[in-house]
Amino acid sequence: MFLDTANLNEMAELLPLGIFYGVTTNPLLLERAKVPCSHHALQDLAATAFALGSKEFMCQTWGTKVDELVDNGIRLANLDSRVVVKVPLTFAGIEAASMMSNLGIRVCTTACYSPHQVITSVSAGAEYVAPYLGRMNDAGRDGMQSVVDMQKIVDGMRSKTRVLVASIRDADQLAVLAARGCNTFTISPKVARLLTEDELTMDAATDFAKVEEGGFGSS
């Protein structure tokens, strides 16, 4: 699992849980966190994530032309070997992703909305492909089935590309997809806080605390 945020306070709160492999960001998250979309700012953000235990940090290259996407992607990749460069699944983005993959740069194709785009991502050498589950549902599509189909494509192609499910709106969606074969997710801090919540768990914890306060478990 990855934590989807650019907010330093949220990283400091949630990464110590020890359940996240890394951190993912994008320009919208940077804007919400009031972090400039610049190499220097992303370097500082990545350093903070790594200091808090993150093993990978994903950030998005920018530009409208292939050479701009590649140049910025190279600069981001040079920040640290644990940085994965996100590239939008556009015509220019795929060309840029292929070029960066050939240079040994780790790439995640992002804003994936259709199963056929997974085939494109695999062929471009992407390490990850990120479908937006919630946004697919918002557009009237069956996002859950599309994501499952994407995972089947990767498995069927025997590819090492990982389907990184993004835009997950609640913990139940994550659980359903995991039960159907998906194994890589990026979730918002809001959803992350739901991962330990269950009414019966809280009731049990309260009962345990009552016993402990009564001295039964004391030495």
Side-chain angles (χ1 to χ4, degrees):
M1 288 197 299
F2 290 78
L3 182 64
D4 200 29
T5 186
N7 186 294
L8 294 176
N9 292 330
E10 290 171 340
M11 286 188 196
E13 174 194 355
L14 295 167
L15 288 180
L17 286 173
I19 64 174
F20 295 104
Y21 186 77
V23 172
T24 61
T25 65
N26 62 47
L28 290 175
L29 292 176
L30 293 173
E31 183 178 48
R32 291 173 193 165
K34 298 182 180 179
V35 175
C37 189
S38 68
H39 298 99
H40 180 72
L42 287 167
Q43 182 178 28
D44 290 344
L45 200 62
T48 298
F50 295 141
L52 289 168
S54 177
K55 295 179 179 63
E56 288 183 5
F57 181 82
M58 295 194 194
C59 51
Q60 190 163 318
T61 187
W62 58 90
T64 57
K65 298 180 180 179
V66 174
D67 58 347
E68 295 173 336
L69 292 167
V70 172
D71 288 346
N72 283 314
I74 291 172
R75 291 185 64 185
L76 291 173
N78 286 338
L79 296 177
D80 193 286
S81 61
R82 295 167 290 181
V83 168
V84 178
V85 179
K86 298 172 74 174
V87 188
L89 258 162
T90 61
F91 199 89
I94 283 297
E95 184 176 347
S98 298
M99 292 174 65
M100 285 189 281
S101 294
N102 288 334
L103 293 172
I105 293 172
R106 304 174 67 191
V107 169
C108 171
T109 52
T110 190
C112 177
Y113 286 92
S114 299
H116 64 262
Q117 291 178 307
V118 173
I119 302 172
T120 306
S121 300
V122 169
S123 300
E127 186 171 341
Y128 297 91
V129 54
Y132 286 1
L133 173 64
R135 293 192 181 187
M136 281 190 277
N137 290 335
D138 292 344
R141 303 184 185 184
D142 187 345
M144 298 291 280
Q145 186 58 53
S146 291
V147 169
V148 170
D149 290 343
M150 292 174 187
Q151 185 64 51
K152 288 179 178 178
I153 288 170
V154 167
D155 295 340
M157 296 179 73
R158 298 183 180 180
S159 170
K160 294 182 179 179
T161 302
R162 302 183 76 98
V163 177
L164 175 67
V165 188
S167 187
I168 296 171
R169 300 287 170 78
D170 58 59
D172 289 340
Q173 289 180 334
L174 189 151
V176 169
L177 288 172
R180 296 179 68 181
C182 299
N183 60 17
T184 310
F185 309 93
T186 182
I187 58 175
S188 68
K190 178 181 177 181
V191 173
R193 295 184 185 98
L194 298 174
L195 292 182
T196 62
E197 290 189 4
D198 187 284
E199 183 178 350
L200 295 179
T201 301
M202 298 306 295
D203 289 344
T206 299
D207 291 342
F208 296 154
K210 287 178 180 177
V211 172
E212 291 166 357
E213 289 171 2
F216 182 80
S218 61
S219 59

